[in-house]
Amino acid sequence: MIRRGAHFFAALATALLLASCSSSDGGDRRVAEGRDWQWDKEAGAAEASAFMNVSVPEDTTGVKGAVQINPQEDIYLLSFVTREKNAEDIAKDLHSEEPLKAKKKDFAPEGERFEHLGLAEPQTVKGTRWAGVCPPCVSDDRRRKVQWIEIYVQPLKGDQARVYLQAF
């Protein structure tokens, strides 16, 4: 009985030690409560723009950005309103093999993304054009850390457009 009890306490002590070593402190940005992702409360438009290597035009309004921390890859979101020509220039700068094109109105991906920024999910907005690219696949060395980037351009009144960029 003593031997069995000793094994039990040794196993319990090992389990507690492993749990204490693998648990993270409250400062770990990757800790999620009840889900496998969370929003980085310290990151916004500047961090998203830097990761994507996208310059936000000077005449831009309504700049919003966020970073969704995920177990495999983080998702960077950036949105703003600018002139339609600026939006088209940004799309061209991504070096997509296909130009901006109309995309059939679609359902939003599971989980919130742009909704987190107070915006509609771009793929659900009628009239929105889309382009996407794998930067390493088109030898875009400026975006070596980006595996995929996509842009949605929503026409607004006048020559204005809302740009939605998403990258991981």
Side-chain angles (χ1 to χ4, degrees), residues 84 87-88 99-103 122 125-131 151-155 161-162 164:
E84 182 99 24
E88 290 174 3
L100 279 171
K101 60 184 174 186
K103 187 160 178 143
V125 179
K126 186 177 179 180
T128 300
R129 296 178 295 149
W130 172 90
I151 183 171
Y152 292 85
V153 177
Q154 174 191 2
R162 173 160 291 282
Y164 298 82

PDB file of all heavy atoms in Angstrom, residues 84 87-88 99-103 122 125-131 151-155 161-162 164:
ATOM      1  N   GLU A  84     -10.417  56.231 -54.913  1.00  0.00           N
ATOM      2  CA  GLU A  84     -10.485  54.974 -55.664  1.00  0.00           C
ATOM      3  C   GLU A  84      -9.155  54.674 -56.363  1.00  0.00           C
ATOM      4  O   GLU A  84      -8.690  53.544 -56.370  1.00  0.00           O
ATOM      5  CB  GLU A  84     -11.623  55.049 -56.682  1.00  0.00           C
ATOM      6  CG  GLU A  84     -11.816  53.787 -57.489  1.00  0.00           C
ATOM      7  CD  GLU A  84     -12.928  52.911 -56.961  1.00  0.00           C
ATOM      8  OE1 GLU A  84     -13.831  53.413 -56.292  1.00  0.00           O
ATOM      9  OE2 GLU A  84     -12.872  51.699 -57.238  1.00  0.00           O
ATOM     10  N   ALA A  87      -6.695  53.211 -53.976  1.00  0.00           N
ATOM     11  CA  ALA A  87      -7.052  51.818 -53.686  1.00  0.00           C
ATOM     12  C   ALA A  87      -6.570  50.903 -54.808  1.00  0.00           C
ATOM     13  O   ALA A  87      -6.007  49.828 -54.552  1.00  0.00           O
ATOM     14  CB  ALA A  87      -8.559  51.695 -53.499  1.00  0.00           C
ATOM     15  N   GLU A  88      -6.780  51.321 -56.046  1.00  0.00           N
ATOM     16  CA  GLU A  88      -6.347  50.516 -57.186  1.00  0.00           C
ATOM     17  C   GLU A  88      -4.816  50.418 -57.251  1.00  0.00           C
ATOM     18  O   GLU A  88      -4.276  49.361 -57.584  1.00  0.00           O
ATOM     19  CB  GLU A  88      -6.928  51.078 -58.476  1.00  0.00           C
ATOM     20  CG  GLU A  88      -8.427  50.864 -58.548  1.00  0.00           C
ATOM     21  CD  GLU A  88      -9.092  51.531 -59.736  1.00  0.00           C
ATOM     22  OE1 GLU A  88      -8.382  52.145 -60.570  1.00  0.00           O
ATOM     23  OE2 GLU A  88     -10.327  51.439 -59.823  1.00  0.00           O
ATOM     24  N   PRO A  99      -6.044  41.131 -61.764  1.00  0.00           N
ATOM     25  CA  PRO A  99      -6.402  42.471 -61.288  1.00  0.00           C
ATOM     26  C   PRO A  99      -7.610  42.395 -60.350  1.00  0.00           C
ATOM     27  O   PRO A  99      -8.232  41.336 -60.211  1.00  0.00           O
ATOM     28  CB  PRO A  99      -6.767  43.210 -62.578  1.00  0.00           C
ATOM     29  CG  PRO A  99      -7.241  42.133 -63.491  1.00  0.00           C
ATOM     30  CD  PRO A  99      -6.428  40.915 -63.152  1.00  0.00           C
ATOM     31  N   LEU A 100      -7.921  43.520 -59.732  1.00  0.00           N
ATOM     32  CA  LEU A 100      -9.130  43.576 -58.910  1.00  0.00           C
ATOM     33  C   LEU A 100     -10.305  43.121 -59.758  1.00  0.00           C
ATOM     34  O   LEU A 100     -10.452  43.546 -60.904  1.00  0.00           O
ATOM     35  CB  LEU A 100      -9.394  45.011 -58.446  1.00  0.00           C
ATOM     36  CG  LEU A 100      -8.616  45.509 -57.248  1.00  0.00           C
ATOM     37  CD1 LEU A 100      -8.845  47.006 -57.085  1.00  0.00           C
ATOM     38  CD2 LEU A 100      -8.992  44.766 -55.989  1.00  0.00           C
ATOM     39  N   LYS A 101     -11.130  42.257 -59.200  1.00  0.00           N
ATOM     40  CA  LYS A 101     -12.297  41.798 -59.951  1.00  0.00           C
ATOM     41  C   LYS A 101     -13.478  41.640 -59.019  1.00  0.00           C
ATOM     42  O   LYS A 101     -13.312  41.452 -57.808  1.00  0.00           O
ATOM     43  CB  LYS A 101     -11.993  40.482 -60.667  1.00  0.00           C
ATOM     44  CG  LYS A 101     -11.616  39.343 -59.750  1.00  0.00           C
ATOM     45  CD  LYS A 101     -11.248  38.113 -60.551  1.00  0.00           C
ATOM     46  CE  LYS A 101     -10.723  37.043 -59.602  1.00  0.00           C
ATOM     47  NZ  LYS A 101     -10.220  35.884 -60.313  1.00  0.00           N
ATOM     48  N   ALA A 102     -14.654  41.726 -59.616  1.00  0.00           N
ATOM     49  CA  ALA A 102     -15.874  41.562 -58.841  1.00  0.00           C
ATOM     50  C   ALA A 102     -15.872  40.169 -58.230  1.00  0.00           C
ATOM     51  O   ALA A 102     -15.438  39.202 -58.845  1.00  0.00           O
ATOM     52  CB  ALA A 102     -17.092  41.758 -59.733  1.00  0.00           C
ATOM     53  N   LYS A 103     -16.318  40.125 -57.025  1.00  0.00           N
ATOM     54  CA  LYS A 103     -16.387  38.836 -56.341  1.00  0.00           C
ATOM     55  C   LYS A 103     -17.834  38.624 -55.942  1.00  0.00           C
ATOM     56  O   LYS A 103     -18.479  39.524 -55.403  1.00  0.00           O
ATOM     57  CB  LYS A 103     -15.482  38.849 -55.114  1.00  0.00           C
ATOM     58  CG  LYS A 103     -15.376  37.496 -54.463  1.00  0.00           C
ATOM     59  CD  LYS A 103     -14.153  37.420 -53.594  1.00  0.00           C
ATOM     60  CE  LYS A 103     -14.138  36.067 -52.936  1.00  0.00           C
ATOM     61  NZ  LYS A 103     -12.864  35.510 -52.792  1.00  0.00           N
ATOM     62  N   PRO A 122     -16.022  42.380 -45.739  1.00  0.00           N
ATOM     63  CA  PRO A 122     -16.004  42.863 -47.123  1.00  0.00           C
ATOM     64  C   PRO A 122     -16.597  41.899 -48.146  1.00  0.00           C
ATOM     65  O   PRO A 122     -17.205  42.333 -49.122  1.00  0.00           O
ATOM     66  CB  PRO A 122     -14.524  43.116 -47.402  1.00  0.00           C
ATOM     67  CG  PRO A 122     -13.797  42.307 -46.391  1.00  0.00           C
ATOM     68  CD  PRO A 122     -14.675  42.246 -45.190  1.00  0.00           C
ATOM     69  N   VAL A 125     -20.308  42.502 -48.857  1.00  0.00           N
ATOM     70  CA  VAL A 125     -20.746  43.806 -49.350  1.00  0.00           C
ATOM     71  C   VAL A 125     -20.864  43.782 -50.876  1.00  0.00           C
ATOM     72  O   VAL A 125     -19.890  43.467 -51.574  1.00  0.00           O
ATOM     73  CB  VAL A 125     -19.761  44.917 -48.906  1.00  0.00           C
ATOM     74  CG1 VAL A 125     -20.207  46.267 -49.438  1.00  0.00           C
ATOM     75  CG2 VAL A 125     -19.646  44.945 -47.386  1.00  0.00           C
ATOM     76  N   LYS A 126     -22.031  44.125 -51.358  1.00  0.00           N
ATOM     77  CA  LYS A 126     -22.278  44.122 -52.799  1.00  0.00           C
ATOM     78  C   LYS A 126     -21.390  45.164 -53.498  1.00  0.00           C
ATOM     79  O   LYS A 126     -21.191  46.256 -53.001  1.00  0.00           O
ATOM     80  CB  LYS A 126     -23.750  44.442 -53.059  1.00  0.00           C
ATOM     81  CG  LYS A 126     -24.153  44.318 -54.499  1.00  0.00           C
ATOM     82  CD  LYS A 126     -25.630  44.565 -54.685  1.00  0.00           C
ATOM     83  CE  LYS A 126     -25.991  44.443 -56.146  1.00  0.00           C
ATOM     84  NZ  LYS A 126     -27.406  44.663 -56.366  1.00  0.00           N
ATOM     85  N   GLY A 127     -20.833  44.781 -54.650  1.00  0.00           N
ATOM     86  CA  GLY A 127     -20.021  45.702 -55.439  1.00  0.00           C
ATOM     87  C   GLY A 127     -18.552  45.728 -55.075  1.00  0.00           C
ATOM     88  O   GLY A 127     -17.759  46.429 -55.696  1.00  0.00           O
ATOM     89  N   THR A 128     -18.170  44.968 -54.075  1.00  0.00           N
ATOM     90  CA  THR A 128     -16.783  44.951 -53.645  1.00  0.00           C
ATOM     91  C   THR A 128     -15.940  44.128 -54.624  1.00  0.00           C
ATOM     92  O   THR A 128     -16.338  43.063 -55.057  1.00  0.00           O
ATOM     93  CB  THR A 128     -16.668  44.352 -52.225  1.00  0.00           C
ATOM     94  OG1 THR A 128     -17.443  45.156 -51.340  1.00  0.00           O
ATOM     95  CG2 THR A 128     -15.238  44.330 -51.737  1.00  0.00           C
ATOM     96  N   ARG A 129     -14.767  44.679 -54.981  1.00  0.00           N
ATOM     97  CA  ARG A 129     -13.826  43.961 -55.844  1.00  0.00           C
ATOM     98  C   ARG A 129     -12.709  43.391 -54.985  1.00  0.00           C
ATOM     99  O   ARG A 129     -12.381  43.940 -53.942  1.00  0.00           O
ATOM    100  CB  ARG A 129     -13.259  44.894 -56.916  1.00  0.00           C
ATOM    101  CG  ARG A 129     -14.345  45.388 -57.865  1.00  0.00           C
ATOM    102  CD  ARG A 129     -13.806  46.349 -58.900  1.00  0.00           C
ATOM    103  NE  ARG A 129     -13.326  47.564 -58.248  1.00  0.00           N
ATOM    104  CZ  ARG A 129     -12.323  48.307 -58.702  1.00  0.00           C
ATOM    105  NH1 ARG A 129     -11.690  47.987 -59.812  1.00  0.00           N
ATOM    106  NH2 ARG A 129     -11.952  49.389 -58.062  1.00  0.00           N
ATOM    107  N   TRP A 130     -12.097  42.309 -55.469  1.00  0.00           N
ATOM    108  CA  TRP A 130     -11.135  41.560 -54.677  1.00  0.00           C
ATOM    109  C   TRP A 130      -9.914  41.153 -55.506  1.00  0.00           C
ATOM    110  O   TRP A 130     -10.008  40.921 -56.705  1.00  0.00           O
ATOM    111  CB  TRP A 130     -11.824  40.296 -54.162  1.00  0.00           C
ATOM    112  CG  TRP A 130     -10.925  39.319 -53.490  1.00  0.00           C
ATOM    113  CD1 TRP A 130     -10.614  39.283 -52.162  1.00  0.00           C
ATOM    114  CD2 TRP A 130     -10.226  38.224 -54.077  1.00  0.00           C
ATOM    115  NE1 TRP A 130      -9.757  38.237 -51.898  1.00  0.00           N
ATOM    116  CE2 TRP A 130      -9.507  37.563 -53.079  1.00  0.00           C
ATOM    117  CE3 TRP A 130     -10.125  37.738 -55.378  1.00  0.00           C
ATOM    118  CZ2 TRP A 130      -8.714  36.461 -53.301  1.00  0.00           C
ATOM    119  CZ3 TRP A 130      -9.323  36.625 -55.618  1.00  0.00           C
ATOM    120  CH2 TRP A 130      -8.636  35.993 -54.584  1.00  0.00           C
ATOM    121  N   ALA A 131      -8.779  41.050 -54.829  1.00  0.00           N
ATOM    122  CA  ALA A 131      -7.571  40.444 -55.391  1.00  0.00           C
ATOM    123  C   ALA A 131      -6.795  39.835 -54.228  1.00  0.00           C
ATOM    124  O   ALA A 131      -6.826  40.353 -53.110  1.00  0.00           O
ATOM    125  CB  ALA A 131      -6.711  41.468 -56.123  1.00  0.00           C
ATOM    126  N   ILE A 151      -6.913  41.986 -50.786  1.00  0.00           N
ATOM    127  CA  ILE A 151      -7.478  43.321 -50.719  1.00  0.00           C
ATOM    128  C   ILE A 151      -8.898  43.270 -51.256  1.00  0.00           C
ATOM    129  O   ILE A 151      -9.188  42.575 -52.229  1.00  0.00           O
ATOM    130  CB  ILE A 151      -6.622  44.335 -51.525  1.00  0.00           C
ATOM    131  CG1 ILE A 151      -7.185  45.761 -51.374  1.00  0.00           C
ATOM    132  CG2 ILE A 151      -6.493  43.924 -52.978  1.00  0.00           C
ATOM    133  CD1 ILE A 151      -6.276  46.849 -51.950  1.00  0.00           C
ATOM    134  N   TYR A 152      -9.771  43.985 -50.584  1.00  0.00           N
ATOM    135  CA  TYR A 152     -11.130  44.208 -51.046  1.00  0.00           C
ATOM    136  C   TYR A 152     -11.282  45.712 -51.195  1.00  0.00           C
ATOM    137  O   TYR A 152     -10.843  46.467 -50.323  1.00  0.00           O
ATOM    138  CB  TYR A 152     -12.153  43.718 -50.015  1.00  0.00           C
ATOM    139  CG  TYR A 152     -12.199  42.225 -49.833  1.00  0.00           C
ATOM    140  CD1 TYR A 152     -11.332  41.580 -48.960  1.00  0.00           C
ATOM    141  CD2 TYR A 152     -13.142  41.454 -50.508  1.00  0.00           C
ATOM    142  CE1 TYR A 152     -11.389  40.221 -48.767  1.00  0.00           C
ATOM    143  CE2 TYR A 152     -13.210  40.081 -50.321  1.00  0.00           C
ATOM    144  CZ  TYR A 152     -12.330  39.471 -49.442  1.00  0.00           C
ATOM    145  OH  TYR A 152     -12.388  38.112 -49.255  1.00  0.00           O
ATOM    146  N   VAL A 153     -11.896  46.152 -52.271  1.00  0.00           N
ATOM    147  CA  VAL A 153     -12.142  47.573 -52.494  1.00  0.00           C
ATOM    148  C   VAL A 153     -13.640  47.766 -52.664  1.00  0.00           C
ATOM    149  O   VAL A 153     -14.245  47.227 -53.584  1.00  0.00           O
ATOM    150  CB  VAL A 153     -11.379  48.095 -53.729  1.00  0.00           C
ATOM    151  CG1 VAL A 153     -11.712  49.552 -53.987  1.00  0.00           C
ATOM    152  CG2 VAL A 153      -9.871  47.913 -53.543  1.00  0.00           C
ATOM    153  N   GLN A 154     -14.212  48.532 -51.741  1.00  0.00           N
ATOM    154  CA  GLN A 154     -15.649  48.813 -51.750  1.00  0.00           C
ATOM    155  C   GLN A 154     -15.868  50.233 -52.256  1.00  0.00           C
ATOM    156  O   GLN A 154     -15.396  51.188 -51.648  1.00  0.00           O
ATOM    157  CB  GLN A 154     -16.215  48.682 -50.335  1.00  0.00           C
ATOM    158  CG  GLN A 154     -17.652  49.091 -50.212  1.00  0.00           C
ATOM    159  CD  GLN A 154     -18.096  49.210 -48.746  1.00  0.00           C
ATOM    160  OE1 GLN A 154     -17.310  49.017 -47.830  1.00  0.00           O
ATOM    161  NE2 GLN A 154     -19.356  49.535 -48.554  1.00  0.00           N
ATOM    162  N   PRO A 155     -16.579  50.404 -53.381  1.00  0.00           N
ATOM    163  CA  PRO A 155     -16.829  51.758 -53.872  1.00  0.00           C
ATOM    164  C   PRO A 155     -17.763  52.517 -52.921  1.00  0.00           C
ATOM    165  O   PRO A 155     -18.715  51.949 -52.383  1.00  0.00           O
ATOM    166  CB  PRO A 155     -17.484  51.535 -55.235  1.00  0.00           C
ATOM    167  CG  PRO A 155     -18.047  50.155 -55.179  1.00  0.00           C
ATOM    168  CD  PRO A 155     -17.214  49.387 -54.204  1.00  0.00           C
ATOM    169  N   ALA A 161     -13.295  55.142 -51.836  1.00  0.00           N
ATOM    170  CA  ALA A 161     -13.437  53.704 -51.699  1.00  0.00           C
ATOM    171  C   ALA A 161     -12.937  53.282 -50.310  1.00  0.00           C
ATOM    172  O   ALA A 161     -12.025  53.901 -49.769  1.00  0.00           O
ATOM    173  CB  ALA A 161     -12.636  52.969 -52.765  1.00  0.00           C
ATOM    174  N   ARG A 162     -13.558  52.261 -49.761  1.00  0.00           N
ATOM    175  CA  ARG A 162     -13.053  51.670 -48.515  1.00  0.00           C
ATOM    176  C   ARG A 162     -12.173  50.500 -48.919  1.00  0.00           C
ATOM    177  O   ARG A 162     -12.565  49.641 -49.683  1.00  0.00           O
ATOM    178  CB  ARG A 162     -14.154  51.190 -47.590  1.00  0.00           C
ATOM    179  CG  ARG A 162     -13.544  50.436 -46.388  1.00  0.00           C
ATOM    180  CD  ARG A 162     -14.414  50.309 -45.198  1.00  0.00           C
ATOM    181  NE  ARG A 162     -14.667  51.529 -44.484  1.00  0.00           N
ATOM    182  CZ  ARG A 162     -13.824  52.122 -43.631  1.00  0.00           C
ATOM    183  NH1 ARG A 162     -12.622  51.631 -43.440  1.00  0.00           N
ATOM    184  NH2 ARG A 162     -14.169  53.212 -43.000  1.00  0.00           N
ATOM    185  N   TYR A 164     -10.053  47.227 -47.655  1.00  0.00           N
ATOM    186  CA  TYR A 164      -9.926  46.207 -46.618  1.00  0.00           C
ATOM    187  C   TYR A 164      -8.716  45.356 -47.006  1.00  0.00           C
ATOM    188  O   TYR A 164      -8.681  44.804 -48.099  1.00  0.00           O
ATOM    189  CB  TYR A 164     -11.125  45.274 -46.587  1.00  0.00           C
ATOM    190  CG  TYR A 164     -12.465  45.873 -46.292  1.00  0.00           C
ATOM    191  CD1 TYR A 164     -13.217  46.488 -47.293  1.00  0.00           C
ATOM    192  CD2 TYR A 164     -13.031  45.769 -45.025  1.00  0.00           C
ATOM    193  CE1 TYR A 164     -14.479  46.979 -47.038  1.00  0.00           C
ATOM    194  CE2 TYR A 164     -14.312  46.268 -44.767  1.00  0.00           C
ATOM    195  CZ  TYR A 164     -15.023  46.870 -45.776  1.00  0.00           C
ATOM    196  OH  TYR A 164     -16.271  47.350 -45.525  1.00  0.00           O
TER     197      TYR A 164
END
